[in-house]
Amino acid sequence: MTRLLVECTHVFQHPKVNSGIQRVVRNVVNQLPESVDGVECIPVVMLKGKLYRVLKLGALNIPLFDQFMMFGGRLGRLAHRFWQWHQRLDKRLTSRLARRVVYVAYQLTALTCFSVPLRLIDQLDQYQLPKRCAPLQHQPGDQLVLLDSSWHTDFFPFAEQLKREGVGIVSVIYDLIPLTHPQFYDTRLVQVFNEWFDWITQTADGYVAISATVRDQVREEVQRRLGSAKANALWFDYFHLGSELDLTDARSTVDPGLLQMFKTPDPVFLMVSTIEPRKNHAYLLDAFERAWAAGSKARLCIVGKIGWKCEALIERIRQHPQLNLRLFMFNNLSDKSLEHAYSHATSLVFPSYVEGFGLPLVEAMQRGLPAMASDIPVFREIGGEYMAYFDLSDPQNLADLVIDMESGGAFPAPLNLDNWRWLSWREASAQLVERIQRNLHSDTKVPESQHANCP
């Protein structure tokens, strides 16, 4: 029997993180079927050159221990930012002596403030491992499915060893945006991602993207890096993501500010995303300022954690004359609060420049909330004629859609959302397994596209 070893190392090590890829990995693993048509599915992690079967992906919910782990995660991220600061400073210094002094200061600070505490936390972490995972022996013919964001990890040499010992490598690709649009990311992340993708092209036997759009981009990039002959020996496929909000807790309460916002009847247009340049929140503000100037009473509600390269945008929001009147921002909503927002808003608005999928669109539409989005190929793949689209070159285009919907009451999409359906996370997990299996064991031609309402 073929075994799919579905890797989830980063989420296993950071169980409290709940952004895009982490949400996907957690849901796919938690809904992973034990077997599909003779294929056994095993969630695994790779830690310190060893393979483990995952027994519990989430945290153990031991308050003091969880706090230590959360502190360790924050300290690790702070250590990385400190390293980045040192790298930037080192490049600016021209004096050899100054660079040496800064280097010594960096090493001493890193050792005392980061390395020693992180090692202690790592030792503490070792005590809880047997409750969350168990050693697993790999076998020739196993397929290691790199589902998680593996550019964060250090298991590359171990994965190469597994391949030499007969284990196939399948890479799940979420997007190639750091390669195609590097302006949206820090230089170091672009470099890390590029190095990771170089490793993937040399190591993987097959690729599964999260949309047909990304699959085609991956095939082109692999062909560019390896040449057509080597690329044609590999396989390329995709699956679609599910839509449930799995962390909704019936015992939790909805954010009071959110409840207050929805008490008045004026329409609410919802944007759900980490706040960072690629998501194009500035376009939203431009469009709604035009709508407000034309007399619109529509409100814009921005939901999402504050990310990177957005200082000017955040300041613009916090100083905006419409803040808490027609403009609202929530940076730390629970899944229950997000569910409430999806259920009570008038429409989702999503002006992203580029995406691998666009999970909030599916989350919203699956709950009956219509969506307006930028007119890019992957959104057409997801929404088809059930969504409304606007031109990113002119904010007035979105402003007109908002005003027309507010005055006419009808959502400006050709097809009624009542007839739209999407995958559950259980169906998405099964689809991932089935498509990997199809490429491993069948000569069946993979469909070139899959459209909305046809999962």
Side-chain angles (χ1 to χ4, degrees):
M1 175 183 284
T2 300
R3 301 195 308 177
L4 296 188
L5 312 180
V6 183
E7 177 270 326
C8 49
T9 306
H10 187 69
V11 168
F12 182 86
Q13 293 177 310
H14 304 87
K16 295 294 187 179
V17 179
N18 191 35
S19 55
I21 293 179
Q22 288 75 35
R23 184 187 289 274
V24 174
V25 172
R26 188 181 62 250
N27 279 287
V28 168
V29 168
N30 286 340
Q31 298 295 334
L32 197 65
E34 291 186 6
S35 64
V36 176
D37 295 333
V39 176
E40 184 182 3
C41 306
I42 306 173
V44 301
V45 294
M46 293 183 283
L47 304 171
K48 300 185 183 302
K50 295 181 180 179
L51 187 66
Y52 296 87
R53 177 195 293 263
V54 174
L55 304 176
K56 180 177 175 58
L57 183 59
L60 293 177
N61 294 322
I62 303 172
L64 184 59
F65 177 81
D66 288 348
Q67 289 174 9
F68 270 114
M69 293 302 103
M70 290 178 65
F71 173 72
R74 294 193 187 101
L75 192 62
R77 292 189 291 273
L78 183 60
H80 180 67
R81 288 196 290 270
F82 184 58
W83 175 84
Q84 288 179 314
W85 171 82
H86 169 255
Q87 293 294 102
R88 290 194 296 267
L89 182 59
D90 184 71
K91 290 178 181 178
R92 294 195 192 104
L93 296 174
T94 56
S95 166
R96 186 173 180 178
L97 177 60
R99 294 178 67 182
R100 173 56 61 180
V101 169
V102 167
Y103 176 77
V104 171
Y106 165 76
Q107 290 291 343
L108 290 173
T109 305
L111 178 65
T112 56
C113 296
F114 300 114
S115 298
V116 171
L118 285 172
R119 285 175 187 169
L120 292 174
I121 291 172
D122 183 63
Q123 289 299 314
L124 178 64
D125 191 33
Q126 298 305 308
Y127 287 105
Q128 55 87 38
L129 276 181
K131 297 180 181 180
R132 297 183 64 204
C133 63
L136 179 70
Q137 181 59 49
H138 63 278
Q139 304 169 3
D142 286 347
Q143 300 293 320
L144 177 63
V145 182
L146 300 178
L147 177 66
D148 212 336
S149 49
S150 53
W151 52 89
H152 290 300
T153 61
D154 58 358
F155 58 59
F156 301 149
F158 181 55
E160 292 168 1
Q161 175 190 329
L162 293 179
K163 181 164 186 176
R164 289 192 297 269
E165 295 175 2
V167 176
I169 306 290
V170 178
S171 179
V172 175
I173 307 291
Y174 293 89
D175 60 66
L176 297 181
I177 300 171
L179 303 181
T180 59
H181 296 76
Q183 68 272 25
F184 294 135
Y185 297 96
D186 291 329
T187 303
R188 177 57 184 163
L189 176 60
V190 174
Q191 180 184 346
V192 167
F193 191 90
N194 184 62
E195 291 170 352
W196 167 80
F197 197 76
D198 265 341
W199 180 79
I200 285 293
T201 57
Q202 299 295 329
T203 309
D205 304 298
Y207 302 82
V208 186
I210 61 171
S211 64
T213 303
V214 174
R215 176 205 57 192
D216 296 341
Q217 294 171 350
V218 172
R219 182 190 287 125
E220 291 174 5
E221 183 64 18
V222 172
Q223 288 175 340
R224 187 183 71 81
R225 295 188 184 219
L226 293 183
S228 295
K230 290 184 178 179
N232 289 341
L234 307 172
W235 57 266
F236 302 85
D237 208 331
Y238 72 101
F239 77 115
H240 277 155
L241 308 181
S243 58
E244 298 98 335
L245 293 172
D246 63 305
L247 295 185
T248 300
D249 186 348
R251 297 168 298 178
S252 63
T253 58
V254 177
D255 184 281
L258 192 72
L259 287 173
Q260 183 65 34
M261 183 188 69
F262 281 113
K263 283 184 177 179
T264 55
D266 294 332
V268 174
F269 290 79
L270 183 68
M271 170 61 175
V272 178
S273 169
T274 299
I275 301 174
E276 43 108 343
R278 176 169 60 91
K279 304 298 184 175
N280 205 10
H281 290 76
Y283 175 96
L284 276 185
L285 285 179
D286 292 343
F288 275 82
E289 284 173 353
R290 295 186 184 201
W292 294 329
S296 171
K297 295 183 178 180
R299 291 169 293 169
L300 173 61
C301 178
I302 296 172
V303 173
K305 293 183 178 180
I306 296 174
W308 51 93
K309 292 188 174 183
C310 61
E311 292 82 3
L313 173 71
I314 297 300
E315 184 65 18
R316 178 182 174 186
I317 293 172
R318 288 174 174 166
Q319 299 300 322
H320 202 284
Q322 292 293 339
L323 185 64
N324 297 325
L325 299 172
R326 302 240 175 264
L327 173 63
F328 299 84
M329 181 171 67
F330 299 92
N331 300 125
N332 194 31
L333 287 187
S334 66
D335 269 14
K336 184 167 185 177
S337 292
L338 182 56
E339 188 84 59
H340 186 86
Y342 280 142
S343 301
H344 290 79
T346 306
S347 172
L348 188 79
V349 282
F350 208 72
S352 184
Y353 284 110
V354 58
E355 290 286 338
F357 185 75
L359 190 55
L361 294 172
V362 172
E363 291 176 343
M365 293 170 70
Q366 190 72 354
R367 289 158 180 77
L369 179 64
M372 303 176 178
S374 45
D375 194 357
I376 59 178
V378 72
F379 290 168
R380 290 278 182 179
E381 178 182 341
I382 293 170
E385 294 190 316
Y386 295 91
M387 271 171 40
Y389 302 93
F390 47 83
D391 185 352
L392 289 185
S393 67
D394 184 8
Q396 188 62 47
N397 195 231
L398 174 57
D400 290 342
L401 287 176
V402 170
I403 293 170
D404 290 347
M405 185 177 180
E406 185 180 8
S407 58
F411 187 71
L415 297 180
N416 193 310
L417 189 57
D418 292 341
N419 299 318
W420 186 88
R421 189 182 78 82
W422 201 255
L423 303 174
S424 66
W425 278 114
R426 182 175 295 278
E427 291 170 320
S429 296
Q431 188 183 84
L432 170 63
V433 174
E434 289 162 359
R435 297 206 169 183
I436 293 173
Q437 181 189 24
R438 176 174 61 190
N439 285 279
L440 292 174
H441 302 294
S442 173
D443 294 328
T444 304
K445 181 174 174 58
V446 176
E448 283 301 310
S449 64
Q450 177 177 331
H451 300 289
N453 203 38
C454 185

